[in-house]
Amino acid sequence: MRSLGFFQQIAEQNGWKLNPDLKVVENIIKAENNLHQKFGEYYCPCRLQKIPDNICPCRHAQQEIEKDGKCHCQLFFNP
């Protein structure tokens, strides 16, 4: 099961920060853990297709963070 610490590590490794709203982060973690139980992978809950490109952090995250300041799920932000 993924945890807050896991996502903090991902954010640090990529030079991002987590959403400061802990409730949003907790809801995304819960959704990803549910997807893992259902499909066997930690898919981005905001992406409808359950394909390898959409395993969190999905392949779109970096570009979205650079362009919009956050990923689509609003889990990761540009510091």
Side-chain angles (χ1 to χ4, degrees):
M1 303 289 276
R2 288 187 169 177
S3 65
L4 178 61
F6 173 83
F7 288 105
Q8 288 173 323
Q9 184 177 13
I10 293 288
E12 288 174 16
Q13 289 172 347
N14 288 283
W16 305 333
K17 67 177 185 174
L18 288 179
N19 188 325
D21 186 339
L22 190 56
K23 196 96 155 150
V24 170
V25 174
E26 289 172 347
N27 286 335
I28 293 170
I29 292 170
K30 183 178 178 181
E32 284 197 21
N33 286 328
N34 288 339
L35 289 168
H36 182 261
Q37 287 182 324
K38 186 172 183 177
F39 298 107
E41 292 289 355
Y42 292 98
Y43 292 109
C44 174
C46 298
R47 305 283 174 196
L48 297 179
Q49 289 184 305
K50 305 307 177 219
I51 59 174
D53 282 350
N54 292 339
I55 294 172
C56 185
C58 71
R59 71 175 177 92
H60 309 283
Q62 182 68 41
Q63 183 180 7
E64 291 169 347
I65 293 167
E66 288 174 6
K67 180 180 174 238
D68 302 325
K70 60 188 175 198
C71 70
H72 183 73
C73 287
Q74 298 183 29
L75 176 61
F76 299 110
F77 280 70
N78 190 343

